[in-house]
Amino acid sequence: MKTKKNHKVLKVLGIILAVIVAFFAVINIIPPKKNMESNPFIVSDGALPMIAAHRGGGDNNPENTMLAFREAVKTIGVDIIESDLYLTKDGYLVYNHDDYIDETCNVNGDLSLAEVKKLCKDKNNRHYICDMTLAELQRYNFGYYFEDENGQRIYKDATDLEGLGLQIATMEQLFEEFYAEYPDVMFIVEIKDSGERGYEACRILYEKLQAYPGYLDQIVIGTFHDEIEAELKANYPDLMRGAPTGTAAKFVLTTYTGTNLFDGSDFACLQIPMSYDLGIEVNLTAESLVNQAHRRNIAVQYWTINDPDEMRQLIEMGVDCIMTDDPLLLKEVLEEYR
């Protein structure tokens, strides 16, 4: 009697297991809905990844300056410029990684970078972009702390800041610089301001892009702020968006669990590191992730990769873009594959 009952239980469990297996098989056979029909950030089958100069290539030149952007595009030949945008007090969009400028220019005079970092531990000592006009920001040398490969601060005493491209760079300067001569250059932009300032940044960026219509289809916008993501989605639907952190995590989770068919996200680019620490390290370099993203016409872009072996790993995975502080190094690695 007991044996018969155990047999029935096993039979029911077997049926349940078979249904589950069949369910997952079916939902992974069904072609997923594409996030967009055409995605310029996806490379063709077998092509090498695009080079994205993170902050303009901060290891090669002073980060987020016109000097860095020019060298990245005109000398190194990168495909994409990656940068962060902040809104000034008087309504200009400028490039800087942090919301304060102390660690990238000589706003504190002759202090060493170590002294500046110590000073800026107190947030009240920082010089915030939102409190300064563009004219005020343009007074300073944004190559002041840059060191070359020999550890020399080669721009510390520069005087022709505008001519060298060492002033803070504006969004309009960047577009104007390349639009006629390099119409194919692409952009990854992160709007760093939140709330009302973030909304205003979205409006200004979109409005200024109208003067450079060719770039409308060559720029992807990211943000860490949920309200700015909602603003972009609601009011600027023709702009491509990168996946915010939570949306990217959901895409990864549903891919790893085989349930991505039910993921309703509509971003253009999955921008992720190679791993993420959630108490335990989660590996984000599975080929299944790249494949599933491509099934939905999503470009896969990894940041910030400065190690040659990691670059090779991503190249062999077939990713679409590698963001790096050292585009010269990535270019050398890519040459191995050409």
Side-chain angles (χ1 to χ4, degrees):
M1 191 74 175
K2 193 173 181 182
T3 304
K4 207 178 260 191
K5 188 176 179 182
N6 288 343
H7 181 71
K8 284 182 179 179
V9 170
L10 289 173
K11 187 175 181 181
V12 170
L13 289 174
I15 292 171
I16 292 171
L17 181 60
V19 169
I20 292 171
V21 170
F23 171 76
F24 279 100
V26 169
I27 66 171
N28 283 284
I29 290 171
I30 297 171
K33 181 182 177 182
K34 293 183 177 180
N35 283 25
M36 55 194 305
E37 281 307 309
S38 178
N39 190 336
F41 286 92
I42 295 180
V43 298
S44 58
D45 287 345
L48 294 172
M50 298 183 193
I51 303 174
H54 185 250
R55 307 185 196 179
D59 283 359
N60 306 144
N61 291 286
E63 66 178 52
N64 284 316
T65 61
M66 287 306 302
L67 173 61
F69 298 145
R70 287 169 186 154
E71 287 295 303
V73 173
K74 298 181 179 183
T75 303
I76 301 173
V78 305
D79 306 284
I80 303 172
I81 292 174
E82 188 278 343
S83 51
D84 306 293
L85 281 174
Y86 284 99
L87 192 65
T88 67
K89 183 179 180 180
D90 53 344
Y92 288 89
L93 287 173
V94 295
Y95 295 104
N96 204 62
H97 182 260
D98 297 315
D99 59 353
Y100 62 99
I101 61 171
D102 300 74
E103 295 180 22
T104 47
C105 75
N106 58 334
V107 69
N108 291 296
D110 291 330
L111 293 184
S112 69
L113 187 56
E115 290 171 322
V116 166
K117 288 183 176 181
K118 185 177 179 180
L119 181 71
C120 288
K121 285 182 179 179
D122 182 346
K123 294 183 179 181
N124 293 315
N125 292 329
R126 297 175 180 179
H127 294 80
Y128 290 97
I129 291 172
C130 64
D131 295 328
M132 304 176 76
T133 66
L134 178 61
E136 289 170 335
L137 289 162
Q138 287 176 331
R139 297 173 188 167
Y140 302 110
N141 177 0
F142 280 78
Y144 190 75
Y145 291 113
F146 176 77
E147 294 182 354
D148 67 8
E149 63 274 13
N150 298 314
Q152 300 300 308
R153 288 166 59 185
I154 56 176
Y155 299 114
K156 178 178 181 292
D157 299 315
T159 54
D160 183 13
L161 301 181
E162 183 178 3
L164 290 170
L166 293 174
Q167 291 179 321
I168 198 164
T170 70
M171 176 199 65
E172 288 179 271
Q173 276 182 299
L174 185 59
F175 292 159
E176 182 64 31
E177 178 77 25
F178 301 119
Y179 193 64
E181 193 177 352
Y182 296 89
D184 295 329
V185 70
M186 306 175 84
F187 305 91
I188 297 171
V189 171
E190 184 179 333
I191 293 178
K192 298 295 278 281
D193 289 301
S194 60
E196 292 299 325
R197 293 184 63 80
Y199 299 150
E200 182 68 359
C202 292
R203 185 192 66 77
I204 293 172
L205 173 59
Y206 187 75
E207 183 181 278
K208 298 300 182 184
L209 272 169
Q210 305 312 304
Y212 308 93
Y215 284 163
L216 276 166
D217 296 327
Q218 293 169 204
I219 187 168
V220 61
I221 317 296
T223 180
F224 280 104
H225 307 295
D226 292 340
E227 76 277 13
I228 305 304
E229 166 71 6
E231 173 76 2
L232 288 166
K233 190 171 180 177
N235 295 319
Y236 309 98
D238 51 334
L239 287 179
M240 286 179 281
R241 289 175 287 105
T245 305
T247 305
K250 182 184 173 188
F251 186 91
V252 171
L253 180 62
T254 56
T255 297
Y256 282 2
T257 56
T259 57
N260 191 256
L261 184 69
F262 304 111
D263 177 81
S265 57
D266 60 354
F267 56 87
C269 298
L270 181 65
Q271 299 162 336
I272 51 177
M274 293 183 70
S275 63
Y276 194 76
D277 189 357
L278 293 173
I280 59 169
E281 188 171 290
V282 179
N283 178 23
L284 300 180
T285 59
E287 285 192 34
S288 60
L289 199 55
V290 178
N291 294 336
Q292 184 60 27
H294 285 171
R295 289 183 76 199
R296 293 182 54 171
N297 247 7
I298 297 170
V300 184
Q301 305 172 331
Y302 279 88
W303 54 265
T304 303
I305 313 302
N306 298 320
D307 177 81
D309 289 333
E310 291 180 348
M311 291 173 179
R312 293 184 185 99
Q313 181 183 350
L314 294 175
I315 291 166
E316 289 164 17
M317 281 173 54
V319 307
D320 299 293
C321 166
I322 297 174
M323 301 185 215
T324 179
D325 294 312
D326 193 345
L328 269 173
L329 173 62
L330 178 53
K331 186 177 182 180
E332 291 173 8
V333 172
L334 286 169
E335 286 300 323
E336 299 171 12
Y337 291 82
R338 297 188 202 283

